[in-house]
Amino acid sequence: MESLTILLHGKPCGELLTEQRGLYMKYTAACHIKPNAEPMRLFVVGERGELRLGIIQPEDGGFTLRRQLPAKDALAAGKLLRGELRPVGVQEKDWQSAAEPEKLFRGTMLQNRLSGRKGVLFCRSGECCYLAIPFAVSNPFPLTEMFCLAQIQCFGQRQYAVFCFDGQENPRFF
Protein backbone atom coordinates (compact mmCIF):
# COMPACT_ATOMS: atom_id res chain seq x y z
CA MET A 1 0.00 0.00 0.00
CA GLU A 2 1.29 3.44 -0.92
CA SER A 3 0.26 6.76 0.61
CA LEU A 4 0.11 9.91 -1.53
CA THR A 5 -0.61 13.47 -0.44
CA ILE A 6 -3.73 15.12 -1.86
CA LEU A 7 -3.31 18.78 -2.80
CA LEU A 8 -5.89 21.53 -3.23
CA HIS A 9 -4.51 24.71 -4.81
CA GLY A 10 -1.01 23.41 -4.07
CA LYS A 11 -1.63 22.82 -0.35
CA PRO A 12 -1.98 19.42 1.39
CA CYS A 13 -5.56 18.57 2.28
CA GLY A 14 -5.71 14.80 2.60
CA GLU A 15 -4.32 11.37 1.89
CA LEU A 16 -4.77 8.96 -1.02
CA LEU A 17 -4.00 5.30 -0.37
CA THR A 18 -3.27 3.11 -3.40
CA GLU A 19 -3.09 -0.66 -3.34
CA GLN A 20 -2.72 -3.08 -6.24
CA ARG A 21 -5.07 -6.06 -6.03
CA GLY A 22 -4.43 -8.40 -8.93
CA LEU A 23 -5.43 -6.66 -12.16
CA TYR A 24 -6.95 -3.71 -10.30
CA MET A 25 -5.69 -0.71 -8.35
CA LYS A 26 -7.72 0.29 -5.31
CA TYR A 27 -7.84 4.00 -4.40
CA THR A 28 -9.07 5.25 -1.02
CA ALA A 29 -9.07 8.99 -0.35
CA ALA A 30 -9.77 11.01 2.78
CA CYS A 31 -9.87 14.80 2.42
CA HIS A 32 -10.13 17.42 5.12
CA ILE A 33 -11.56 20.49 3.45
CA LYS A 34 -14.33 22.91 4.36
CA PRO A 35 -17.74 22.07 2.94
CA ASN A 36 -18.19 24.01 -0.26
CA ALA A 37 -21.07 24.44 -2.69
CA GLU A 38 -18.64 23.56 -5.46
CA PRO A 39 -18.13 19.83 -6.11
CA MET A 40 -14.50 18.69 -6.28
CA ARG A 41 -13.00 16.00 -8.52
CA LEU A 42 -10.01 13.93 -7.42
CA PHE A 43 -7.18 13.10 -9.81
CA VAL A 44 -4.10 10.97 -9.22
CA VAL A 45 -1.08 12.49 -10.98
CA GLY A 46 1.78 10.39 -12.31
CA GLU A 47 5.07 11.13 -14.05
CA ARG A 48 3.53 10.57 -17.53
CA GLY A 49 -0.12 11.47 -17.06
CA GLU A 50 -3.06 11.52 -14.71
CA LEU A 51 -6.20 9.56 -13.89
CA ARG A 52 -9.57 11.04 -13.07
CA LEU A 53 -10.79 9.14 -10.00
CA GLY A 54 -14.13 10.85 -9.41
CA ILE A 55 -16.01 13.36 -7.30
CA ILE A 56 -15.36 13.25 -3.56
CA GLN A 57 -18.37 12.64 -1.29
CA PRO A 58 -19.09 14.00 2.21
CA GLU A 59 -18.61 11.44 4.98
CA ASP A 60 -17.98 11.72 8.73
CA GLY A 61 -17.16 15.44 8.70
CA GLY A 62 -14.74 15.16 5.77
CA PHE A 63 -14.80 13.97 2.17
CA THR A 64 -13.96 10.52 0.83
CA LEU A 65 -13.70 8.54 -2.35
CA ARG A 66 -13.26 4.82 -2.90
CA ARG A 67 -12.54 3.60 -6.40
CA GLN A 68 -11.12 0.57 -8.14
CA LEU A 69 -9.70 0.86 -11.67
CA PRO A 70 -7.64 -1.41 -13.94
CA ALA A 71 -3.99 -1.38 -12.82
CA LYS A 72 -2.91 -0.85 -16.45
CA ASP A 73 -4.39 2.68 -16.30
CA ALA A 74 -2.15 3.53 -13.35
CA LEU A 75 0.85 2.04 -15.15
CA ALA A 76 0.15 4.27 -18.16
CA ALA A 77 0.34 7.33 -15.87
CA GLY A 78 3.80 6.28 -14.66
CA LYS A 79 5.01 6.48 -11.09
CA LEU A 80 2.17 7.98 -9.05
CA LEU A 81 3.21 11.24 -7.39
CA ARG A 82 0.20 12.84 -5.66
CA GLY A 83 -3.53 13.36 -5.62
CA GLU A 84 -5.08 16.66 -6.73
CA LEU A 85 -8.53 18.10 -6.04
CA ARG A 86 -9.94 20.35 -8.76
CA PRO A 87 -13.30 22.06 -9.04
CA VAL A 88 -15.75 20.25 -11.33
CA GLY A 89 -16.61 22.17 -14.49
CA VAL A 90 -13.30 23.96 -14.77
CA GLN A 91 -11.70 23.46 -18.14
CA GLU A 92 -8.83 21.27 -17.08
CA LYS A 93 -6.99 21.17 -20.36
CA ASP A 94 -5.68 23.60 -22.95
CA TRP A 95 -8.18 22.92 -25.74
CA GLN A 96 -7.41 23.92 -29.32
CA SER A 97 -9.65 24.01 -32.36
CA ALA A 98 -9.10 21.21 -34.89
CA ALA A 99 -9.96 22.58 -38.35
CA GLU A 100 -9.18 19.16 -39.87
CA PRO A 101 -9.58 16.68 -37.00
CA GLU A 102 -8.91 13.67 -39.25
CA LYS A 103 -5.27 14.80 -39.52
CA LEU A 104 -4.76 14.26 -35.78
CA PHE A 105 -4.74 10.48 -36.29
CA ARG A 106 -2.87 7.94 -38.43
CA GLY A 107 -5.54 5.21 -38.37
CA THR A 108 -8.04 5.20 -41.22
CA MET A 109 -11.06 4.40 -39.03
CA LEU A 110 -10.65 7.59 -36.99
CA GLN A 111 -9.65 9.61 -40.05
CA ASN A 112 -12.82 8.53 -41.87
CA ARG A 113 -15.11 9.10 -38.86
CA LEU A 114 -13.69 12.58 -38.20
CA SER A 115 -13.42 13.80 -41.78
CA GLY A 116 -15.49 16.93 -42.34
CA ARG A 117 -16.56 17.34 -38.70
CA LYS A 118 -16.80 20.96 -37.59
CA GLY A 119 -16.29 22.45 -34.14
CA VAL A 120 -13.97 19.68 -32.91
CA LEU A 121 -11.52 20.51 -30.11
CA PHE A 122 -8.40 18.62 -29.05
CA CYS A 123 -5.60 18.75 -26.54
CA ARG A 124 -2.63 16.61 -25.63
CA SER A 125 -1.60 15.63 -22.13
CA GLY A 126 1.38 13.32 -21.82
CA GLU A 127 0.89 10.48 -24.30
CA CYS A 128 -2.87 11.04 -24.52
CA CYS A 129 -4.86 12.95 -27.10
CA TYR A 130 -8.24 14.21 -25.91
CA LEU A 131 -10.87 14.84 -28.55
CA ALA A 132 -14.05 16.88 -27.90
CA ILE A 133 -16.74 16.51 -30.57
CA PRO A 134 -19.87 18.72 -30.48
CA PHE A 135 -22.81 16.76 -29.13
CA ALA A 136 -26.55 17.33 -29.13
CA VAL A 137 -29.19 14.91 -27.88
CA SER A 138 -31.19 15.48 -31.07
CA ASN A 139 -28.30 14.28 -33.32
CA PRO A 140 -26.60 10.90 -33.73
CA PHE A 141 -23.92 10.32 -31.12
CA PRO A 142 -20.41 11.05 -32.44
CA LEU A 143 -18.17 7.96 -32.74
CA THR A 144 -21.12 5.74 -31.86
CA GLU A 145 -18.98 2.62 -31.54
CA MET A 146 -17.11 4.29 -28.66
CA PHE A 147 -20.08 5.84 -26.83
CA CYS A 148 -19.32 3.99 -23.57
CA LEU A 149 -15.84 5.58 -23.45
CA ALA A 150 -17.08 9.17 -23.82
CA GLN A 151 -17.69 11.79 -21.18
CA ILE A 152 -20.17 14.56 -21.85
CA GLN A 153 -18.72 17.94 -20.91
CA CYS A 154 -19.82 21.54 -21.42
CA PHE A 155 -17.44 24.18 -22.70
CA GLY A 156 -19.19 27.52 -22.73
CA GLN A 157 -22.78 26.96 -23.88
CA ARG A 158 -21.99 23.85 -25.95
CA GLN A 159 -21.96 20.17 -25.03
CA TYR A 160 -19.20 17.88 -26.26
CA ALA A 161 -18.57 14.15 -26.25
CA VAL A 162 -14.98 13.90 -25.01
CA PHE A 163 -12.81 10.90 -25.86
CA CYS A 164 -9.30 9.97 -24.75
CA PHE A 165 -6.82 8.12 -27.00
CA ASP A 166 -3.42 6.78 -26.00
CA GLY A 167 -0.21 7.13 -28.05
CA GLN A 168 -1.22 4.14 -30.22
CA GLU A 169 -4.64 5.73 -30.90
CA ASN A 170 -6.46 3.21 -28.72
CA PRO A 171 -9.49 4.64 -26.90
CA ARG A 172 -9.11 4.77 -23.11
CA PHE A 173 -11.31 5.34 -20.09
CA PHE A 174 -10.44 8.54 -18.31
Side-chain angles (χ1 to χ4, degrees):
M1 187 175 296
E2 184 178 359
S3 174
L4 304 171
T5 300
I6 298 174
L7 302 177
L8 174 62
H9 305 300
K11 296 180 181 166
C13 67
E15 179 181 35
L16 176 62
L17 299 175
T18 64
E19 178 182 9
Q20 186 158 354
R21 290 187 171 180
L23 297 175
Y24 291 90
M25 185 72 79
K26 180 182 175 185
Y27 301 91
T28 306
C31 304
H32 310 287
I33 59 174
K34 294 179 183 174
N36 191 333
E38 187 173 35
M40 302 296 281
R41 180 172 282 131
L42 179 62
F43 291 79
V44 62
V45 178
E47 290 177 330
R48 293 189 308 266
E50 61 188 29
L51 299 172
R52 182 185 306 221
L53 296 181
I55 296 174
I56 58 173
Q57 303 296 315
E59 184 177 305
D60 296 330
F63 289 84
T64 62
L65 181 128
R66 291 174 192 83
R67 186 89 191 262
Q68 195 164 290
L69 296 172
K72 67 179 181 167
D73 292 345
L75 293 173
K79 179 177 175 10
L80 301 180
L81 305 173
R82 66 186 174 278
E84 286 185 10
L85 283 177
R86 301 177 193 159
V88 172
V90 173
Q91 288 184 330
E92 297 150 354
K93 305 197 180 317
D94 187 19
W95 293 99
Q96 301 173 39
S97 179
E100 297 176 290
E102 65 274 12
K103 292 186 177 179
L104 295 170
F105 298 94
R106 298 177 307 277
T108 56
M109 191 281 282
L110 285 171
Q111 288 176 344
N112 291 339
R113 300 288 281 125
L114 295 171
S115 182
R117 287 205 182 255
K118 304 290 182 216
V120 175
L121 304 175
F122 79 99
C123 68
R124 298 197 186 275
S125 177
E127 294 180 7
C128 293
C129 176
Y130 293 87
L131 194 66
I133 302 173
F135 165 75
V137 175
S138 58
N139 294 335
F141 195 84
L143 302 181
T144 306
E145 53 279 334
M146 295 182 213
F147 80 95
C148 61
L149 301 173
Q151 268 193 3
I152 304 303
Q153 295 185 15
C154 291
F155 302 133
Q157 299 297 320
R158 198 167 195 184
Q159 282 190 319
Y160 290 83
V162 180
F163 300 89
C164 177
F165 297 92
D166 66 17
Q168 287 77 44
E169 299 183 358
N170 296 312
R172 292 186 50 198
F173 286 107
F174 59 109

